[in-house]
């Protein structure tokens, strides 16, 4: 099945539309200002989605990986690593864990990078470039390798050797760059080499790649498929909010196509040491910058947020939760007792649920994003 | 669906049969001698397997995890972590990689431990005990945790902290014991505590748990399901030969039930520094002890083999291949270029195929057993 994508649309003003190609990698050029950058999203010919596409048993009969959902994704031009299809494990009555460590590079990021590397192939880019200190970079490197494209990863000077090995294993060129230089250097590399950027290029707010979050919609599709219904709430570890938005959008599409009454309430679970989305919601702004204190949740300790998160919480009647490292450690231990060894950041979903206490009506899903092997305190310095 | 298991049968003499319970954890008590210990296997009421059980599309309609194949497995009494269901990724024309790093604890061992911990639950054991320096122990710990059973892991004194963390994450009690003391201590612990052993107890040859290798049959079932046919050959990283035997048995069952003409040729890929199965085949004995030289393939550098491997190679007209660390490193690099970061030992399958050169007729499957994150040179000492 081929993609039904019809074009790109501004989140700043949905009436502002762009062709599908090229992907807008710096957000919306029309609505963005010096203060706020608005992302774009992908629109589809929803009236052409096959009847019964999300009906029980239909997905299982289709090929695995993003191909399973190809009509509602941007064109899949890069080869598959069989991303997604992760299990929904029961944790207790009415509570499920979506174990994203079961992806090709053992994190949710593979859902995004199959899409963004496909965009790189689609525009005929000579390579891929990404700024990342971990999962995102390794995932991009893996998909680039499989597509036969060179990949450059800008990572932090203090990246531990095992993360280095993880990146280099896939043949990526790894450059250690101080945090403040990473985005300017990324932009410079993109201009000089024509490499396709698969991480954020803007500083006014996070916009990331216009196609990327579409890959996270498959989390919503799979949850619906496994439960046979929509859950009441989903708790999502949140950094820049790309996954949060993708999960919301996937559920919104399901409702739009008649597979449910109401989008589940989404809870963005950010580290209490930072929390740009919580700040944006509190201040009623499209995106916020915040200082980030000490936290071991290195995968989601972002100083800058993006408008996608605000949209996802508003449209799902959700909320931003701030979880402490202590709450994260408690949730990680609880997941491990259930047989799931998660990265500390990955336990943010369950930590958020536990913070709200027993009052949350089920079924509830907590997304666990990555493997315990990724944690920095376990990796050689 | 419930298990069709009918009993246990000696590999030393298939006419020697035992009831299904209790599982024989020290091999066959009738045919084993001081020199050679013979394992047992599980027999089934094959005439009661539902029609079309392995037909195209049938498996996808059943629940995921070992439940998908429950009639041909021992009773599943421990809770699932959605083991198996790993992808078969194309590497080149006619060559596929079965990526076992996509399991719950990121190695093939989960297929075995779902079964052995189920056996522990089945006999009402108060806990589980395992001797292992890595993947096997962590997997047992995860399944024991999920089943609510305590788990003791006997591991080596030089186990790196990350492996320790991996084991302890699931709440296991980790004891550091010199290699020569591990099996006697395991036996002693079993006798004193009644804990169920999920690793080998015998020294005359490896027999392991009678039920365990049944879990590996699902690799053969899945390969058949994904290819829509039997492959011509499968290359299997081999330590004690439990997976090799399970894969063979799964294919043999498929042929028996009419889903193919001929069992694929199996290649056991052992480290050249050791290789007890290659020695057993060469010397025409049921199992061999060998000295083990320097090798980084720590997951498969076994000094003792078992009769299961001999059976699998004989019955599949296969062969034992010895691969050097250099060949392993080359195969690991090739897998990574295809987007799969494998543990060094996990690349033994592809290393074996490459050693044979281009003359192998496809379709061919190379099993990759575990994630690159497991490698010791990446873990803190």
């Amino acid at each position: 099945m081929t993609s039904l994508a019809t074009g790109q649309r501004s989140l700043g003003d949905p009436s502002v539309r762009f062709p599908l190609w090229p992907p807008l990698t710096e957000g919306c050029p029309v609505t963005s200002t010096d203060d706020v950058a608005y992302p774009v999203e992908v629109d589809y010919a929803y009236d052409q989605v096959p009847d019964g596409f999300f009906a029980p048993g239909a997905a299982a009969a289709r090929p695995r990986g993003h191909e399973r959902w190809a009509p509602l994704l941007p064109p899949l031009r890069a080869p598959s690593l069989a991303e997604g299809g992760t299990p929904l494990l029961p944790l207790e009555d009415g509570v499920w864990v979506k174990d994203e460590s079961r992806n090709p590079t053992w994190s949710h990021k593979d859902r995004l990078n199959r899409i963004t590397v496909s965009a790189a192939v689609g525009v005929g880019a000579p390579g891929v470039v990404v700024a990342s200190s971990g999962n995102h970079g390794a995932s991009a490197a893996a998909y680039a390798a499989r597509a036969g494209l060179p990949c450059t990863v800008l990572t932090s000077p203090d990246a531990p050797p095992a993360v280095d090995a993880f990146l280099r294993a896939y043949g990526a060129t790894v450059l250690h760059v101080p945090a403040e230089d990473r985005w300017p250097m990324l932009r410079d590399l993109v201009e000089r080499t024509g490499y396709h950027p698969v991480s954020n290029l803007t500083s006014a707010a996070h916009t990331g790649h216009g196609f990327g979050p579409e890959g996270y919609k498959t989390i919503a599709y799979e949850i619906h498929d496994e439960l046979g219904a929509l859950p009441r709430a989903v708790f999502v570890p949140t950094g820049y909010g790309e996954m949060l938005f993708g999960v919301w959008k996937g559920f919104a599409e399901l409702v739009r196509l008649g597979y449910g009454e109401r989008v589940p309430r989404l809870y963005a679970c950010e580290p209490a040491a930072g929390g740009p989305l919580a700040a944006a919601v509190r201040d009623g702004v499209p995106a916020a910058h915040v200082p980030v204190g000490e936290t071991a949740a290195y995968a989601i300790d972002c100083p800058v947020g993006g408008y996608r998160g605000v949209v996802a919480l508003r449209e799902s009647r959700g909320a931003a939760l701030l979880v402490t490292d202590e709450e994260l450690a408690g949730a990680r231990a609880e997941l491990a007792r259930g047989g799931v060894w998660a990265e500390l950041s990955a336990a943010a979903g369950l930590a958020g649920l536990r913070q709200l206490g027993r009052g949350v009506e089920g079924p509830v899903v907590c997304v666990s994003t990555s493997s315990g092997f990724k944690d920095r305190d376990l990796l050689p310095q």
Side-chain angles (χ1 to χ4, degrees), chain A residues 112-176:
Chain A
L112 177 142
N113 282 293
R114 173 80 197 283
I115 301 287
T116 52
V117 176
S118 285
V121 172
V123 297
V128 163
V129 60
V130 56
S132 162
S133 53
N135 287 328
H136 189 158
S139 173
Y143 279 92
R146 191 153 179 91
L149 287 177
C151 179
T152 297
V153 185
L154 309 183
T155 191
S156 54
D158 60 346
V163 166
D164 231 49
F166 188 22
L167 295 167
R168 290 186 204 275
Y170 301 110
T173 300
V174 181
L175 303 175
H176 295 270

Side-chain angles (χ1 to χ4, degrees), chain A residues 66 69 86 98 100 108 111 214-225 234 243 246-247 251 365 367:
Chain A
H66 274 357
W69 316 105
T86 62
K98 183 74 170 157
E100 288 290 292
H108 64 300
R111 296 185 192 261
E214 301 296 314
Y216 293 127
K217 296 190 308 189
T218 58
I219 295 175
Y221 301 162
E222 290 173 13
I223 290 172
H224 170 262
D225 192 53
V234 181
M243 181 169 53
V247 170
F251 284 126
V365 175
V367 179

Side-chain angles (χ1 to χ4, degrees), chain A residues 178-199:
Chain A
E180 62 273 22
D181 297 338
R182 268 196 274 167
W183 282 349
M185 191 161 164
L186 180 63
R187 178 182 294 274
D188 191 54
L189 264 165
V190 168
E191 282 166 10
R192 284 174 196 270
T193 62
Y195 276 27
H196 196 70
V198 300
S199 57

Side-chain angles (χ1 to χ4, degrees), chain A residues 341-370:
Chain A
W341 189 34
E343 185 182 332
L344 189 70
S345 301
L350 181 60
L353 173 65
R354 292 301 177 231
Q355 189 180 83
L356 290 192
R358 299 275 157 185
V360 183
E361 203 178 351
V364 167
V365 175
C366 300
V367 179
S368 178
T369 45
S370 181

Side-chain angles (χ1 to χ4, degrees), chain A residues 238-299:
Chain A
T238 297
Y240 294 121
E242 293 181 290
M243 181 169 53
L244 186 73
F245 177 81
V247 170
W248 164 73
K249 187 172 174 183
F251 284 126
E253 289 174 336
L254 283 159
V255 170
R256 174 183 184 148
L257 293 167
Y259 293 93
E261 293 286 309
R262 199 173 195 190
V263 168
R265 203 179 287 278
L266 294 194
Y267 292 94
C269 304
E270 297 176 296
L277 180 52
V281 169
R282 186 190 62 221
D283 299 342
V285 296
H289 289 251
V290 293
V292 176
E294 280 292 309
T295 171
Y298 75 94

